[in-house]
Amino acid sequence: LGNTDHYTRKLLSLVKAVVPSMTQRIVDRAMQAHGGLGASQDTFLPVAFVGARSLRWADGPDEVHWRTAGRLELAYQQKDSPLYALGRYEHDKSKPFRAKL
């Protein structure tokens, strides 16, 4: 049931996280640019803003989509990435980093 391709699932999760919030941000900026007219019923902007906000509610929390995309990317990196064979970077703890103020 559903899409089993990990790459497609990752892209869908990213789209579900980014598109609704970006749509709401764009409509909000358009409302700001129109001033008082942006909040009135003379334009479609208030309806678009409510629609974008409703889409964010209906689609679920963005954090769930970010977590799904991150989990799929980490699984890919561990299984298929040639960089995984290099191992983890272990920094030298005997020389702690000190910021020069």
Side-chain angles (χ1 to χ4, degrees):
L1 197 85
N3 196 337
T4 58
D5 180 32
H6 292 295
Y7 182 73
T8 305
R9 285 182 57 207
K10 181 179 73 170
L11 289 180
L12 286 173
S13 292
L14 290 173
V15 166
K16 285 182 175 184
V18 172
V19 170
S21 62
M22 184 60 66
T23 303
Q24 184 179 358
R25 184 181 300 158
I26 289 170
V27 173
D28 183 55
R29 286 185 179 180
M31 289 174 76
Q32 291 288 332
H34 282 83
L37 183 63
S40 73
Q41 296 298 319
D42 294 336
T43 64
F44 78 99
L45 293 173
V47 175
F49 186 81
V50 169
R53 185 65 189 140
S54 299
L55 180 63
R56 290 186 70 187
W57 280 331
D59 196 32
D62 292 344
E63 290 78 14
V64 172
H65 301 304
W66 287 116
R67 183 185 65 200
T68 302
R71 187 179 294 157
L72 290 169
E73 181 62 25
L74 286 174
Y76 163 74
Q77 292 294 331
Q78 289 178 350
K79 186 173 65 169
D80 297 331
S81 175
L83 297 177
Y84 186 72
L86 295 176
R88 292 184 168 199
Y89 171 76
E90 293 291 333
H91 66 277
D92 186 9
K93 294 180 182 177
S94 66
K95 299 177 187 175
F97 174 76
R98 300 279 191 246
K100 295 181 181 179
L101 301 176

